[in-house]
């Protein structure tokens, strides 16, 4: 068929250049393993040191309060780095950023392992947390870009499984390594994994086209981000220990955080080239998905924190057995991930996510009926049931929030969503323990207000509890009342979490189809 130019007697029209073929690594399986291992290692390190803190503080001659900074320093620097992911990918490229961040994580892990003082360990953990920040969002962006559209759901489901399983495995693995070897090895195990992941990904993704820029440094945005997020994270971590706003330290941290974050938001929304692109919230699905992710993850995080704590405090479990009782939560996500990734895109993702939140609400209501006689099997059974909800939660919600982002916005959007999700987890950790302790105090007072020390029947009961010794009996009675108060508070918190999960369903239905990511050929061909 002749062209218009030829019909008019002009020269033939130049043929259009063929679209660049999407980039695919030489070995897709190897590239996927490298990316997944790095993310697993990074997410694992958010919890692996938790159960080892008493051992670490004892070996380094530090107090228990000083040891908590091993966790806090990682969390603060990680929260600061996450929203900077978009800026760093524009400046350095995703492959290079992933490779160097992973190698830096290895070096920081080595420094953690050889630390001979608490100060050095805290500094090394801060560095580890900062370089870990962009690793998960960039992994997500790279996986989306190298997989064809029809298999992209499987890539997202794989990362969702990592997000669920790694925090569960962290305390169990950390406790086992600390008990059988030494605490240094919880950091040394990162070295071979990190080197393998960085070398494999660097080789497999070599030559992947990327769109690099040289954005100017937004110093005002960076300064207010560091001040605001740093103060907020420290305030959340120390709030319970410092009795919240009865502490001058907490009041000042709150003032600094609020002022800095208000200035940060105003500045970033008006800055021509912001260091954190808050304008991503103009996308409807990104906003709805991020809201569902933040509140869903916060409630999920609260369960992950509260159940092991309750098992140890109320039922007398060791840290290791509390971990075993919690672990069934990860079984169904591991088994169902391949099927969710393959078949979930055929359904309306809002229905799947709604069902996931309904399952997690149901298991929360089941826990609200627990008592002090509940056995290991029942606890593990409810954890296993919740795993069905978790398996259907992360992949659909992640797909929804990424679905209307432009290809070059994927890494920035993933970093921003992960940052807000992390803050949601921090709020959940602080508020959950505060609410539980508050309810324990209230119920303890209610249960003891009817006790009369001069009542002959009460004296007889106390004497029987103490085998004839009234003082011993009084201590035993108070312990029984404290356990009952803690159990009632636990049940109330889970009743509240059940209603929160049901409420999150509203956010899911604010999203609008289609949910096929725009990161198609453009993303795969270097649109990032």
């Amino acid at each position: 068929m002749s062209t218009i130019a030829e019909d008019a007697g002009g020269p033939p029209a130049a043929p259009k250049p063929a679209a660049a073929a999407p980039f695919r690594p030489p070995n897709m399986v190897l590239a996927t393993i490298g990316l997944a291992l790095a993310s697993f290692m990074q997410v694992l390190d958010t919890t692996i040191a938790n159960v080892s803190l008493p051992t670490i503080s004892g070996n380094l001659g530090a107090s228990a309060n000083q040891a908590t900074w091993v966790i806090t320093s990682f969390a603060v620097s990680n929260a600061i780095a996450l929203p900077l992911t978009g800026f760093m990918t524009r400046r350095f490229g995703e492959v290079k950023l992933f490779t160097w961040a992973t190698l830096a994580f290895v070096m920081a892990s080595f420094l953690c392992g050889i630390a001979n003082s608490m100060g050095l360990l805290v500094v090394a953990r801060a560095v580890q947390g900062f370089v870990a920040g962009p690793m998960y969002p960039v992994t997500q962006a790279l996986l989306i870009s190298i997989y064809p559209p029809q298999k992209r759901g499987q890539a997202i489901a794989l990362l969702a499984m990592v997000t669920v399983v790694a925090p569960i495995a962290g305390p169990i693995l950390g406790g086992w390594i600390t008990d059988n070897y030494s605490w240094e090895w919880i950091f040394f195990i990162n070295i071979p994994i990190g080197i393998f992941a960085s070398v494999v990904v660097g080789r497999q993704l070599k030559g992947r086209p990327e769109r690099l820029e040289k954005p100017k440094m937004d110093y005002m945005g960076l300064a207010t981000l560091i001040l605001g997020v740093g103060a907020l994270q420290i305030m959340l971590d120390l709030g319970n220990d410092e009795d919240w706003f009865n502490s001058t330290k907490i009041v000042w941290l709150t003032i600094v955080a609020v002022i800095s974050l208000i200035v940060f938001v105003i500045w970033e929304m008006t800055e021509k080239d912001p260091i954190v692109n808050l304008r991503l919230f103009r996308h409807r699905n990104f906003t709805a998905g991020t809201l569902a992710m933040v509140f869903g993850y916060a409630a999920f995080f609260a369960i992950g924190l509260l159940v092991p704590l309750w098992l140890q405090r109320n039922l007398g479990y060791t840290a290791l057995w509390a971990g075993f009782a919690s672990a069934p939560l990860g079984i169904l996500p591991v088994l169902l991930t391949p099927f969710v990734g393959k078949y979930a895109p055929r359904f309306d993702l809002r229905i799947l996510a709604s069902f996931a939140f309904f399952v997690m609400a149901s298991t929360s209501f089941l826990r609200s009926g627990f008592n002090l006689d509940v056995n290991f099997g029942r606890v593990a059974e409810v954890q296993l049931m919740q795993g069905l909800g978790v398996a259907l939660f992360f992949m659909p919600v992640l797909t929804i929030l990424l679905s209307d982002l432009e290809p070059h916005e994927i890494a920035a959007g993933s970093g921003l969503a992960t940052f807000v999700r992390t803050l949601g987890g921090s709020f959940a950790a602080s508020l959950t323990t505060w609410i539980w302790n508050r309810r324990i105090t209230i119920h303890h007072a209610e249960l003891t207000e009817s006790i009369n020390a001069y009542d002959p029947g009460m004296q007889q009961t106390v004497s029987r509890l103490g085998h004839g010794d009234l003082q011993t009996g009084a201590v035993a009675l108070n312990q029984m009342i404290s356990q009952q108060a803690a159990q009632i508070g636990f049940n109330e918190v889970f009743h509240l979490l059940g209603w929160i999960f049901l409420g999150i369903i509203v956010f899911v239905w604010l999203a609008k189809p289609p949910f096929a990511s725009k990161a198609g050929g453009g993303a795969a061909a270097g649109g990032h």
Side-chain angles (χ1 to χ4, degrees), residues 51-107:
V51 296
S52 306
L53 291 185
T55 304
I56 293 173
S57 60
N59 287 2
L60 297 181
S63 68
N65 284 339
Q66 289 173 320
T68 60
W69 282 97
V70 174
I71 308 299
T72 303
S73 59
F74 183 97
V76 170
S77 54
N78 187 257
I80 291 170
L82 273 168
L84 299 177
T85 301
F87 174 84
M88 290 189 281
T89 54
R90 290 166 60 200
R91 180 69 180 82
F92 304 110
E94 288 159 351
V95 176
K96 188 178 291 186
L97 178 61
F98 174 89
T99 304
W100 286 106
T102 305
L103 289 175
F105 190 89
V106 167
M107 285 301 302

Side-chain angles (χ1 to χ4, degrees), residues 17-18 28 96 111 388:
M28 184 72 80
K96 188 178 291 186
L111 292 175
L388 175 61

